[in-house]
Amino acid sequence: MDLPTVWFFLIATLWLGYFFLEGFDFGVGMLLGIGTRDEKERRVLINTIGPVWDGNEVWVIVAVGATFAAFPDWYAALLSGAYLPVLFVLLSLIGRGVAFEYRGKVDSVRWRRNWDRIIQIGSWVPPLGWGFIITATVTGLPIDVNGDLRGGPIDLVRIETLLGALALAGFSLLHGAVFLGLKTDGDIRWRMQRFARRYGALLLLPGAALLAIVQIRHGSAWTAVVAGVAVLASVGALLLLPRGRTGQAFTLLGVMLAAVVVVLFGSLYPNVMPSTIDSMFTLTVAEAASSPYTLSVITWVAAFGTPAVLIYQGWTYWVFRRRISTAHIPTVRVP
Amino acid sequence: MEILDVARWQFGITTVYHFLMVPLTIGLALLVAIMQTAWHRTGDPRYLAMTKFWGKLMLINFAMGVVTGIVQEFQFGMNWSAYSRFVGDVFGAPLAMEGLVAFFVESTFLGLWIFGWDRLSKRLHLASIWAAALATVASAYFILAANSWMQHPVGVEIGPDGDPRLNSIWELLTNSTVLAAFPHTLAGSLAVAGTVLIGISAWHLARRHRDTPIDDPDRRVWHTSLRLGGWVGLASFAAVAVSGDFQAKLMFEQQPMKMAAAEALCETEEPAGFSIFAIGDLTDPSCDNVVSVTVPALLSFLAEGDFESEVQGIEDLIPAYQEQYGSHYPDDPRLGELAGMPIDYVPSLPVTYWGFRFMIGFGTIAAAAAAAALWFTRGGRVPRSRWFAPVALASIATPFLANTFGWIFTEMGRQPFVVVPNPTGVDGVYMFTASAVSAGVSLGEAVFSLVALTLVYAALAVVELFLLIRYARAGVGGVMRPPWEKPDPPDDDPSGPSDSGDDDGDGDAKGTGQDVLSFAY
């Protein structure tokens, strides 16, 4: 494998890590609005992801940073091409990050309600936006010979990109509910498990439709096999949920996500961004890549950095492995 | 208005705003790590209170630093796609390194620190804050390395497509410019944290402790914090001055136009005097109307380290630049109204001239405030004067202002270039700001994002200040039950005691256990 291909693979892996990790913490944020009854339950939800969401978010920062370093042309075309969706994601991430830190800092119902609303918006918009943006890079944008977008933001709105948005949001919501089934205890745990059982299939539907479209239009024989794995894993997860095998279902959802990401990026390769105007303008892995020297430098950094990240982030999850319930939530102490 | 102006305003606003948060985070994280170490070593509850109180202020501010940092990473691609394509081979590498080896550590270990008070052993918990604090420092290094490359492009060659190609990451990371900028910025960050400690502590001492005994635990918290802030403020000022002098000498060599503009030095002088202040119309590029009050020969010393050397003035530099980089912008339609226009090689004189002076001036005020605070609190004294607390509080603003003007000076001073050609940089590697902007983005989109980000930032600034003031006023009691107070009867929180029973943590500090989750979120 040459270095540009290695980096294409690594960037796909970073996105997978991001969708998996921040996927469930987005889901928890979404459920803050639709799955809780009182303030203590909301604090339980927030505390399940409190120690880890910031670390999870770094995955996207590194995914985008790595794209800048390894494929500058891809970075430039994608972020300027999907300008408004990226902006909305940014604004939501700003609000969300601040809201987690600030919501408990003043003891007032109105104060908390407002920040909770920002957490909810901030948990819905980014998965919708990233689903939209990543599907756009897989299925192509109207880019010209310089890699600049021709036309306006409306040209990005297509059935695939909309499905991509819904698919990631649906997955995150389900993933979040299953995660809460693992991390909480008491009444809230049973409610989350019931939610996942009831709506699981519905939430995975847009993803299945997107998978079918991408496979038919852009896929190959080997991606069909991986798509089959995705389908099997999701069916497995949906069957395990009613039996209370939450941990296994959570793992299978991860397998499904990995398979879908492989199909998406696998059918994209060897391109990084197809042009819907003219295939001559399509950006390929080879063309968009940085020089071999730059790639080898960041490969060394990644070779040492990535395992370390996995180890200490894994350890963080181990440290905070205990279930949380309303009984653990103390009275807020604020000035 | 052209998209170039909008993109520049957005970059300026988001960057200056981001750099209000970052120095406070860097400085406070290091000081909190030191406070917790002191607690770990001595067991003195005063240090625990300090760790929690200043740690809380750090966290309130950290959240803002993180979220505004994401915007920085993304907007190169959003608004400056031509720039991103030109420098991606070079500039992306330090950014990716920052994420992989610094920011991951910072975010993960800060999460462990916030929530780990009763989950981790004391030693591991202390290690977490150190890991986070040192990662903020590493973060700063990588970002400054990227920025320094734009000021002084090294470690590259021109590739087959005419764009720079990295050929030595070592040269990029040991760029003389970053070696000067890093200590300067780090010291500037510590100066910010130092004056914050001084201002808030002085206020508490003046308000509550004029007549409390010298061994009162709360008084000791503020007294120790103030003294720490004072020493940090003084030491960082010394480091700022030394590194700044070194930086200025480099800048005379690398970007003579920036320094000539900073001095409003129109004609070449030998020896050159340092301008204290100038009267007249600095916007007039011929500088005929500028009267400057100068210290003779000092500028020669700043530039070359002696009192005789010649320093080149703007009017002699312009023809040199025109000869090397052309007198007119290329006739490229992507440059908009600038295509074919003459290139103005002189950065905005009022901005560079006053930016440089305000940076130095406000930095000096901060140092004076630190010295005064130390003097007034010597030997455990509490100042009796009425004006001490308000002046100390007001001085909090000065290092923030100094940092801001420093950055405005250094970034605006390199215009019209985004990547500055240098005599000691790699030959032929430069880029005009005007040709760096995204071609595929519409003016409407750019204006929308400028307005949206500015409004959101403004609203968040109000909220952050409100919270910082609220927690600063509340003192130790706002973040924990003060360790020297007796616990309340256990009727307010039936769930608290049962929580501490089933955990396996061995490092639970007295009085912290049930405060853990409320310390967090």
Side-chain angles (χ1 to χ4, degrees):
Chain A
M1 233 188 326
D2 59 348
L3 279 182
T5 307
V6 169
W7 273 90
F8 182 79
F9 174 77
L10 263 174
I11 286 167
T13 311
L14 287 165
W15 280 109
L16 170 61
Y18 178 63
F19 292 153
F20 181 82
L21 293 170
E22 190 109 306
F24 64 71
D25 75 49
F26 284 141
V28 170
M30 297 168 173
L31 285 161
L32 202 63
I34 51 186
T36 56
R37 290 183 178 151
D38 56 30
E39 166 59 14
K40 281 215 164 172
E41 289 195 353
R42 282 191 282 279
R43 285 201 61 203
V44 167
L45 257 56
I46 289 171
N47 279 305
T48 60
I49 53 168
V52 294
W53 72 267
D54 197 6
N56 294 347
E57 194 167 285
V58 180
W59 283 81
V60 77
I61 294 171
V62 175
V64 174
T67 310
F68 198 174
F71 302 102
D73 292 355
W74 185 13
Y75 168 85
L78 184 64
L79 292 187
S80 66
Y83 194 91
L84 285 183
V86 170
L87 178 70
F88 289 131
V89 167
L90 279 177
L91 291 169
S92 317
L93 289 179
I94 292 174
R96 182 178 196 259
V98 173
F100 279 135
E101 187 60 50
Y102 287 1
R103 84 177 284 284
K105 295 279 184 286
V106 174
D107 193 13
S108 133
V109 175
R110 218 184 68 164
W111 171 271
R112 278 194 298 266
R113 202 178 48 214
N114 287 337
W115 287 115
D116 284 347
R117 234 169 248 155
I118 293 177
I119 292 179
Q120 288 161 39
I121 298 169
S123 302
W124 277 100
V125 175
L128 287 167
W130 287 127
F132 184 91
I133 294 162
I134 291 301
T135 325
T137 201
V138 171
T139 57
L141 287 178
I143 49 172
D144 64 14
V145 62
N146 296 318
D148 291 322
L149 191 75
R150 280 292 166 81
I154 298 299
D155 295 314
L156 273 63
V157 181
R158 295 191 308 264
I159 186 79
E160 300 99 317
T161 48
L162 292 177
L163 275 177
L166 291 178
L168 190 58
F171 165 79
S172 300
L173 186 51
L174 177 61
H175 201 37
V178 177
F179 173 78
L180 287 170
L182 284 172
K183 285 297 294 180
T184 57
D185 219 342
D187 187 34
I188 198 165
R189 174 182 175 191
W190 309 121
R191 240 184 304 135
M192 291 303 160
Q193 290 183 339
R194 199 175 59 219
F195 177 88
R197 270 201 313 273
R198 256 191 214 164
Y199 301 109
L202 182 71
L203 292 171
L204 293 180
L205 212 55
L210 175 72
L211 192 66
I213 292 183
V214 169
Q215 174 58 35
I216 291 166
R217 291 206 190 147
H218 312 275
S220 55
W222 73 268
T223 57
V225 176
V226 184
V229 172
V231 173
L232 285 179
S234 51
V235 171
L238 293 175
L239 289 176
L240 284 168
L241 281 172
R243 300 189 194 171
R245 302 266 174 93
T246 317
Q248 292 171 6
F250 187 74
T251 314
L252 277 182
L253 280 177
V255 172
M256 182 209 74
L257 178 76
V260 172
V261 169
V262 168
V263 171
L264 287 178
F265 282 85
S267 31
L268 178 60
Y269 188 84
N271 301 328
V272 289
M273 184 169 320
S275 169
T276 53
I277 299 178
D278 186 336
S279 59
M280 293 281 289
F281 303 156
T282 290
L283 281 175
T284 65
V285 166
E287 285 164 10
S290 288
S291 65
Y293 177 79
T294 300
L295 290 176
S296 70
V297 167
I298 53 176
T299 305
W300 279 106
V301 176
F304 287 99
T306 319
V309 171
L310 290 173
I311 290 169
Y312 60 68
Q313 286 208 338
W315 177 63
T316 309
Y317 282 92
W318 173 253
V319 169
F320 300 107
R321 66 191 175 280
R322 288 193 331 172
R323 289 180 185 274
I324 302 177
S325 74
T326 45
H328 296 100
I329 301 299
T331 322
V332 198
R333 184 184 188 88
V334 292
Chain B
M1 192 136 76
E2 292 267 324
I3 189 164
L4 174 65
D5 306 311
V6 182
R8 283 186 67 191
W9 271 109
Q10 180 176 318
F11 198 86
I13 289 171
T14 53
T15 308
V16 164
Y17 192 83
H18 180 58
F19 206 73
L20 292 175
M21 322 297 161
V22 169
L24 185 57
T25 300
I26 296 176
L28 270 188
L30 284 169
L31 295 185
V32 168
I34 290 169
M35 293 167 189
Q36 190 168 346
T37 309
W39 177 56
H40 189 72
R41 285 264 171 94
T42 63
D44 186 334
R46 152 178 54 156
Y47 295 120
L48 174 64
M50 282 168 67
T51 306
K52 287 215 165 185
F53 174 77
W54 298 108
K56 193 81 163 185
L57 296 194
M58 173 193 70
L59 292 177
I60 289 172
N61 177 69
F62 178 79
M64 295 280 284
V66 170
V67 296
T68 53
I70 309 179
V71 177
Q72 294 303 98
E73 195 204 33
F74 282 48
Q75 71 177 330
F76 294 112
M78 293 169 74
N79 284 336
W80 304 96
S81 63
Y83 169 80
S84 307
R85 290 191 188 102
F86 179 71
V87 301
D89 201 278
V90 190
F91 193 79
L95 285 193
M97 289 176 171
E98 192 265 344
L100 257 168
V101 306
F103 197 53
F104 256 132
V105 176
E106 195 178 328
S107 303
T108 310
F109 282 89
L110 205 65
L112 276 161
W113 184 72
I114 299 170
F115 287 86
W117 283 92
D118 69 341
R119 287 278 179 283
L120 297 172
S121 71
K122 259 177 148 180
R123 197 180 282 264
L124 269 176
H125 190 249
L126 177 65
S128 299
I129 187 69
W130 273 109
L134 294 176
T136 63
V137 175
S139 221
Y141 192 85
F142 287 115
I143 299 301
L144 288 170
N147 178 271
S148 296
W149 187 84
M150 300 158 85
Q151 312 280 352
H152 182 227
V154 293
V156 293
E157 62 198 1
I158 305 230
D161 52 355
D163 293 351
R165 255 184 13 185
L166 190 64
N167 65 10
S168 168
I169 186 72
W170 181 246
E171 277 185 46
L172 185 141
L173 292 177
T174 57
N175 190 346
S176 54
T177 316
V178 70
L179 294 183
F182 174 65
H184 196 64
T185 312
L186 188 62
S189 304
L190 283 164
V192 163
T195 49
V196 167
L197 257 63
I198 293 171
I200 294 173
S201 308
W203 185 82
H204 278 285
L205 284 177
R207 202 181 69 126
R208 299 190 193 167
H209 295 299
R210 246 175 227 167
D211 303 307
T212 35
I214 198 162
D215 59 346
D216 176 80
D218 192 56
R219 170 174 160 160
R220 274 163 34 102
V221 164
W222 303 117
H223 203 269
T224 312
S225 298
L226 186 145
R227 302 283 300 174
L228 176 64
W231 287 116
V232 167
L234 276 189
S236 58
F237 181 74
V240 161
V242 171
S243 58
D245 177 57
F246 183 59
Q247 233 181 342
K249 286 184 170 52
L250 272 181
M251 236 180 254
F252 276 110
E253 177 187 306
Q254 297 173 349
Q255 298 182 42
M257 182 65 94
K258 186 191 277 184
M259 290 313 287
E263 283 302 316
L265 184 70
C266 290
E267 276 135 44
T268 301
E269 286 179 23
E270 180 189 355
F274 177 84
S275 169
I276 307 279
F277 69 91
I279 313 162
D281 185 11
L282 279 169
T283 52
D284 175 9
S286 66
C287 348
D288 288 338
N289 302 319
V290 179
V291 182
S292 181
V293 177
T294 58
V295 180
L298 183 58
L299 189 60
S300 295
F301 180 77
L302 282 179
E304 301 285 346
D306 61 47
F307 291 100
E308 290 102 46
S309 283
E310 171 188 287
V311 179
Q312 282 204 301
I314 293 168
E315 289 184 351
D316 293 305
L317 286 167
I318 292 175
Y321 273 83
Q322 282 175 341
E323 196 181 324
Q324 237 178 329
Y325 310 108
S327 58
H328 291 75
Y329 281 109
D331 220 353
D332 185 345
R334 291 173 51 150
L335 288 176
E337 62 180 15
L338 283 175
M341 296 290 279
I343 304 172
D344 183 4
Y345 284 105
V346 186
S348 162
L349 282 185
V351 169
T352 44
Y353 181 86
W354 289 113
F356 193 59
R357 258 134 217 91
F358 285 153
M359 170 182 77
I360 296 174
F362 283 119
T364 311
I365 297 174
L374 284 176
W375 173 256
F376 286 128
T377 56
R378 67 195 187 280
R381 267 167 249 233
V382 169
R384 303 222 143 253
S385 73
R386 267 170 194 286
W387 53 269
F388 174 72
V391 167
L393 266 182
S395 76
I396 290 179
T398 55
F400 283 100
L401 289 168
N403 283 336
T404 300
F405 283 112
W407 270 114
I408 290 176
F409 158 66
T410 207
E411 299 294 281
M412 296 277 285
R414 73 184 147 140
Q415 299 306 327
F417 295 103
V418 61
V419 178
V420 195
N422 287 177
T424 54
V426 174
D427 228 15
V429 176
Y430 64 91
M431 188 183 213
F432 289 110
T433 309
S435 48
V437 80
S438 291
V441 175
S442 71
L443 185 62
E445 287 174 302
V447 170
F448 178 74
S449 77
L450 169 65
V451 172
L453 284 167
T454 307
L455 289 180
V456 167
Y457 279 17
L460 289 179
V462 174
V463 177
E464 186 189 345
L465 261 182
F466 162 77
L467 281 178
L468 283 175
I469 292 171
R470 192 180 175 94
Y471 276 81
R473 285 171 73 106
V476 177
V479 293
M480 65 188 296
R481 178 172 293 119
W484 45 85
E485 272 176 24
K486 285 196 184 94
D488 300 339
D491 57 14
D492 63 331
D493 179 15
S495 60
S498 72
D499 181 37
S500 50
D502 59 342
D503 84 3
D504 49 7
D506 42 350
D508 195 15
K510 214 167 69 178
T512 66
Q514 51 201 359
D515 283 322
V516 173
L517 280 181
S518 50
F519 177 79
Y521 296 157

